[in-house]
Amino acid sequence: MIKDLLHSAPSLLNFGIYFGLAVLLLFVVLGFVTYGILSERKIMGFMQLRIGPNQIGGKWGLLQTVADVLKLLIKEDTIPKKADRPLYILAPVIAFAPAFMVLATLPFTDAFQFADIGVGLLYYVAISGISTIGIVTAGWASNNKYSLIGGMRAAAQMISYEIPLVMSLVGIVLLTGSLNLNDIVAAQEKVWFIFLQPIAFIIFMIASVAELNRVPFDLPEAESELVAGYHVEYSGFRWAFFMLSEYVYMFAMATLTTVLFLGGWNSIPFLDFIPQAIWFGLKFSAVFYILVWIRVTFPRLRADQLMEFGWKVLLPVALANIFLTAIIKEIVNLF
Amino acid sequence: MLRTEEMLLNVGPQHPSTHGVFRLVIKIDGEIIKEATPVIGYLHRGTEKLAENLQYTQIIPYTDRLDYLAAMTNNYVLCHAVETMMAIEVPDRAEYLRVIAMELGRVASHLVWWGTYLLDIGATSPFLYAFREREMIVNLLTELSGARLTFNYMRVGGVKWDAPEGWIEKVAEFVPYMREQLAGYHELVTGNEIFVNRVKGVGIYTKEEALQYSLSGANLRCTGVKWDLRKNEPYSIYDRFTFDVPTREEGDAFSRYHCRMEEIEESLKILEQAVVQFPEGPILAKVPKIIKVPKGEAFVRIESPRGEIGCYIASEGKKEPYRLKFRRPSFYNLQILPKLLEGENMANLITILGAIDIVLGEVDG
Amino acid sequence: MTEDATKNEPSPNQPKLNQIVSAIESHVGQDALIDHYINKLSKDVPTIVANPNTYYSIAKLLRYDEQLNFAYLSELHGTDFETHMEIYVHLHSFNMNQSVALKVKLDRAAPVIPSLVPLWPGANWPECEAYDLLGIDFREHPDLKRILLGDDWKGYPLRKDYQPYDVEV
């Protein structure tokens, strides 16, 4: 359907359809973010001997996040006097828009996908890098030393971990022979790539946590050092944009992990009577749970150790993994 | 060579990791600290000045507010000073109650340190685990004294209340439970690669430096000085218990961590023995209604969770002290901070500051 | 207090006090000390009262003498006794396993005394505190400042004749 639209002549109707779809996706994503945050808080509560949200929206606090977002909406919008005003206003948008854009190429089931483009994987990696600019902008525009340090750390960290992240995926591309996410899922019909590319999976998980700025890689916003890092001066809905983009990325990253390593919507043998969407949901939830689990368990790395780990450990291992994959592939091809 | 501009950064007084209202003005070049200047006094309440117009018993609640994480030891140091000067024999049961209360306080204080230190380093869960156990201690001490934090429990010559029915048994039950939890703590944190990398070799000072800077408590013992006033200058009834003084040789943040964790175990040993030996008897010595300390002066020091806490009293023989002075361990321990921070990475600031274990109520007096 | 010490049987710390005093008298001078006694009220701590002129040399001797080696400064504070100011320094020697109280009486009108920071860096903040609250001037202190009260504070609160500046509070 999307393909037809893309090929049709531009018209007001087309624009309306696009707009409607985008709004629909936005609500789906916001719906996820709402309950993603709630479930994260619930899981954290469970692991930390707390109850978590339990007042608003019944005893599971089902409307807690909605209330939180509403609160943010009606909060006073403060802009520091000495902030770089245009940049300060622009930064949350730069950070949030790419988070939303990357969702377009992610396939959730074989029918539910917005744009099936040939270089879906590259598209994701390229677009998600733009968010860093938003974070650095925010750090700079706030005219606050803590946020500046946070912004610089974010830039350094994101660039450093983008590389192993992409490198770890080269193995998968080699095995599939395609950058298209649908092809990658199709290639996993028999064996998931987590079993064929275990090293890549580990690197990808670590690098993705770093990309998401989550514990143990939450240096840009390291609360105990930089107070809140790059968004220390932001409040109200501008701050909410940063938070939302963080969770949308979490959603996107969990989806990508599922698609690349856990076989997407493919079922495990003999259980294919269960709908694809449920399979996808289960795997996605597992990845999400692991991300939360990591957050609850680990302390934070130090900035220099973080860099060292990225360049001296992850990158060489990722490169070695590519060679290994290539060699094994050639050997298998020989027979 | 790339040159960067130096930046002046104000850490605190409102900053999540300064554990209160502590301010640190640091000059940084990139992320390297060139110079650090601590600024204190935001919580100065003039306890010593106030005490000059108060009777001795009235001063006890003020001591609670110095080191509010281990108020029992503060109570004790004042009572001990007065008792020393008046040569009061404190009944056994009272001493046991005091020691149990102080050791519970020591465990609670170290637990708070452990939790907040891990929180500083970025791990959120240990904080909540530590507070679960601390809550039990706080409940025990509440049953004993009626207050959660500012106990006002000890009196010159003894304690205010006797232990309620079944309290000693609850303490006895707590000890093995705490041991079990402690093993869990080690499993979760002590071996964690990230944690070890953050604290190992950070904030090193030598034995000589530690002594020169008048450090005390775990800050001193982490350099290999086996010095604990409970052992070396036994006060109260500490000579009746067998316990060890944990030391380390490295003098880094990790060794301070180890010292404190082992101190919890040693405190549990003391509690275990105290509970068994716990005698019957009165809880308050015969002291005059209005306490008048003989003319003269005295300085006593005891081991608080943070180090050596001392109390100096100069008396003119009146109801009020002529001059009262507390040797506050956090105040002395904090002095070495600028030296430790020089040339360090900005991210180590929190690790080093946290490892000193300060309580701002005590630093500012 | 000196009377108390002579009244009862000699304290177990008497030999140590004698050792310290003889060391001081032989190295610093016969009249270096104004007084010395065992403070029975304070757990029998040997107490020596120095002359303001010899205070620093005595401290230096206590710090560096090989036998004495009082390496640890446990406490330093000042007191306003109305007739005079007094500094009380509590030192500890791990060699002798003994503490000693070193006191010095100062002129109340102009309390000036050499700083002990060159000997014990740990005396830094306590001296600042004594300066802040009592107005005792420590000469050659590296950074003497009002450490607890603000720089703009008027007067020295722990002096007995201190009048609160802000009368309305």
Side-chain angles (χ1 to χ4, degrees), chain B residues 38 40-41 44 48-49 52 80 84-85 211-216 227 233 294-301 308 312 314 322-323 325 327-328 331-332 334-335 363-364, chain C residues 1 37 39 41-43 71-82 86 88 90 92 94 99 103 120-122 124-126 129 145 147-149 157-160:
Chain B
I40 61 170
H44 181 64
E48 288 157 14
K49 181 71 182 171
E52 286 175 10
H80 187 51
T84 310
M85 290 182 86
L211 289 172
Q212 278 173 5
Y213 277 89
S214 295
L215 301 189
S216 53
W227 180 250
E233 280 182 10
K295 190 168 157 46
E297 60 177 359
F299 175 72
V300 298
R301 43 186 195 158
E308 192 180 307
Y312 169 88
Y322 184 77
R323 167 93 161 98
K325 163 83 193 165
R327 186 233 194 246
R328 311 182 305 274
F331 181 71
Y332 281 78
L334 196 55
Q335 288 185 84
V363 172
D364 293 342
Chain C
M1 284 170 281
Y37 54 88
N39 189 350
L41 286 178
S42 179
K43 297 186 176 177
Y72 189 75
L73 179 131
S74 170
E75 159 76 355
L76 185 150
H77 68 258
T79 307
D80 174 19
F81 279 106
E82 281 165 293
E86 189 181 276
Y88 180 98
H90 197 89
H92 188 84
F94 293 95
S99 298
K103 303 210 299 178
W120 294 277
N124 188 333
W125 286 15
E129 196 185 0
K145 61 181 177 197
I147 190 164
L148 294 175
L149 310 172
L158 279 184
R159 288 196 180 189
K160 290 287 172 181

Side-chain angles (χ1 to χ4, degrees), chain A residues 155-183:
Chain A
Q157 175 178 336
M158 293 222 170
I159 292 166
S160 309
Y161 278 76
E162 199 104 305
I163 296 166
L165 185 85
V166 178
M167 289 296 176
S168 69
L169 299 179
V170 173
I172 290 177
V173 176
L174 278 176
L175 291 180
T176 331
S178 167
L179 282 166
N180 184 303
L181 291 170
N182 281 338
D183 291 349

Side-chain angles (χ1 to χ4, degrees), chain A residues 215-227:
Chain A
V215 175
F217 303 101
D218 62 337
L219 287 102
E221 44 196 293
E223 152 145 337
S224 54
E225 292 160 31
L226 303 180
V227 191

Side-chain angles (χ1 to χ4, degrees), chain C residues 23-47:
Chain C
I24 290 170
E25 284 180 346
S26 64
H27 286 93
V28 186
Q30 289 295 328
D31 51 355
L33 291 176
I34 293 179
D35 194 7
H36 57 86
Y37 54 88
I38 296 280
N39 189 350
K40 287 259 177 192
L41 286 178
S42 179
K43 297 186 176 177
D44 285 356
V45 66
T47 308

Side-chain angles (χ1 to χ4, degrees), chain A residues 65-116:
Chain A
T65 326
V66 180
D68 286 346
V69 173
L70 277 178
K71 180 207 75 176
L72 288 173
L73 271 171
I74 55 174
K75 260 179 101 166
E76 188 192 348
D77 176 36
T78 51
I79 299 180
K81 217 172 190 174
K82 296 214 168 157
D84 191 332
R85 222 182 140 85
L87 282 183
Y88 184 87
I89 293 167
L90 197 62
V93 181
I94 304 178
F96 182 71
F100 194 52
M101 280 161 71
V102 296
L103 294 177
T105 55
L106 293 175
F108 302 104
T109 68
D110 55 359
F112 186 48
Q113 184 187 16
F114 286 86
D116 180 15

Side-chain angles (χ1 to χ4, degrees), chain A residues 47 145-146 224 296 300 305, chain B residues 8 17 120-121 125 129 197:
Chain A
M47 289 180 177
K145 288 162 184 172
Y146 286 113
S224 54
V296 180
R300 184 184 307 119
Q305 290 168 348
Chain B
L8 201 68
S17 292
D120 286 349
I121 293 183
S125 302
Y129 298 147
N197 275 332

Side-chain angles (χ1 to χ4, degrees), chain A residues 149-218:
Chain A
I149 297 174
M152 295 318 288
R153 280 187 180 182
Q157 175 178 336
M158 293 222 170
I159 292 166
S160 309
Y161 278 76
E162 199 104 305
I163 296 166
L165 185 85
V166 178
M167 289 296 176
S168 69
L169 299 179
V170 173
I172 290 177
V173 176
L174 278 176
L175 291 180
T176 331
S178 167
L179 282 166
N180 184 303
L181 291 170
N182 281 338
D183 291 349
I184 291 174
V185 174
Q188 297 180 75
E189 209 157 338
K190 290 204 177 64
V191 193
W192 299 352
F193 279 142
I194 184 173
F195 301 114
L196 293 179
Q197 289 280 321
I199 304 168
F201 177 70
I202 293 165
I203 297 169
F204 182 82
M205 272 313 268
I206 295 172
S208 66
V209 174
E211 283 289 293
L212 291 170
N213 284 340
R214 289 171 63 85
V215 175
F217 303 101
D218 62 337

